[in-house]
Amino acid sequence: MTFSRDLQQGISPYKAQALECARVLLQFLKNPVLGMRQLPTWDWPTLILFHTALAATFGFLGGLISLRFGRVFSGLIIYPISTLFIVAIISGFFYYTFLFIYHRELDFKKLVTLVVFAHLPNTFLSIFAYHLPPIILMGVAASGMLLIVGLTELSQIDRKKIIQLVGGIVTLYVAFWIYGAISSSYERRSIKDFATPESLDILEQEMGDE
């Protein structure tokens, strides 16, 4: 058997895997609600690679739109890692919430798959968050709705309880985001007001007196 044939056989499974991921993603984008009810049963490496590849792509595009090299680098490297941790934390939270509060043990890999796909709207809209920060709230809301669909399907628990749980989390996130945005705006305004020509003249006089 020649080296080229060995190489071809070694690459073909990865190519087939990539095509499968692309097919699933395309079907999900056509109908996200149906997609949350018919999630793929991938192994851990495929699931992690799928998430990090999409996060790196969206992070890179977000960096390009911001026109900042540092954001391009962080979007390509740091953003996929951070979102992977976020997915793990959210999955762990829901796993133990359903286990201890609703007395329902969920399949953890299916739960992580659910969170990965539900997180896609938020990941996509983060591309435009630099120039339009409030758009991230639309992504959170869309991800929340997909979580409700997916968790209801996976847990088979009353939909109203799922809505209360996810709705409460989304509401808290929105409240903290608004508080952070107001605080950040106030701090920037304070710095701008302080750095006026008059204040700089006063500072210069004080330094001269010393």
Side-chain angles (χ1 to χ4, degrees), residues 5 22-23 26 30 36-37 50 54 61 64 66 71 82-83 113 131 139 146 150-152 158 160 168 199 202 206 210:
R5 186 176 302 174
R23 182 189 64 81
L26 183 61
K30 289 180 178 178
M36 293 302 297
R37 295 185 175 128
F50 173 81
L54 283 180
L61 292 175
L64 288 180
S66 70
R71 291 184 65 86
S82 63
T83 55
T113 304
H131 294 293
L146 292 180
L151 288 173
T152 302
D158 183 23
K160 292 182 179 179
S199 63
I202 294 173
E206 291 178 350
E210 294 178 358

Side-chain angles (χ1 to χ4, degrees), residues 16 21 29 32 34 46 58 62 92 101 110 130-131 140 146 150-151 162-163 170-171 177 187 191 195 198 206-207 209:
C21 291
L29 295 177
L34 180 62
T46 302
F58 293 145
I101 296 180
K110 290 182 179 179
Y130 180 80
H131 294 293
V140 171
L146 292 180
L151 288 173
I162 306 296
I163 293 175
V170 171
T171 301
W177 188 93
E187 290 176 1
I191 294 174
E198 292 80 5
E206 291 178 350
M207 294 180 63
D209 293 339

Side-chain angles (χ1 to χ4, degrees), residues 73-196:
F73 174 79
S74 64
L76 190 60
I77 305 297
I78 300 176
Y79 183 68
I81 298 174
S82 63
T83 55
L84 193 61
F85 276 106
I86 291 173
V87 167
I89 292 171
I90 295 175
S91 301
F93 170 80
F94 281 120
Y95 179 82
Y96 287 108
T97 297
F98 278 90
L99 182 63
F100 292 117
I101 296 180
Y102 300 115
H103 306 289
R104 189 70 55 88
E105 185 174 4
L106 304 179
D107 186 305
F108 189 68
K109 188 169 71 171
K110 290 182 179 179
L111 179 60
V112 174
T113 304
L114 184 156
V115 174
V116 165
F117 277 86
H119 195 255
L120 286 179
N122 190 48
T123 306
F124 171 72
L125 291 179
S126 66
I127 296 175
F128 313 100
Y130 180 80
H131 294 293
L132 190 61
I135 200 172
I136 202 70
L137 299 180
M138 295 177 58
V140 171
S143 294
M145 288 187 287
L146 292 180
L147 276 174
I148 292 172
V149 174
L151 288 173
T152 302
E153 183 73 19
L154 180 62
S155 66
Q156 296 298 308
I157 292 177
D158 183 23
R159 186 182 181 88
K160 292 182 179 179
K161 294 181 179 179
I162 306 296
I163 293 175
Q164 291 174 353
L165 175 63
V166 177
I169 296 172
V170 171
T171 301
L172 283 175
Y173 179 89
V174 171
F176 278 111
W177 188 93
I178 293 175
Y179 174 78
I182 294 174
S183 299
S184 178
S185 176
Y186 177 77
E187 290 176 1
R188 287 196 299 267
R189 190 181 300 111
S190 299
I191 294 174
K192 184 178 180 180
D193 292 341
F194 178 78
T196 59

Side-chain angles (χ1 to χ4, degrees), residues 23-39:
R23 182 189 64 81
V24 171
L25 178 61
L26 183 61
Q27 288 184 345
F28 178 83
L29 295 177
K30 289 180 178 178
N31 192 336
V33 174
L34 180 62
M36 293 302 297
R37 295 185 175 128
Q38 299 177 353
L39 294 171

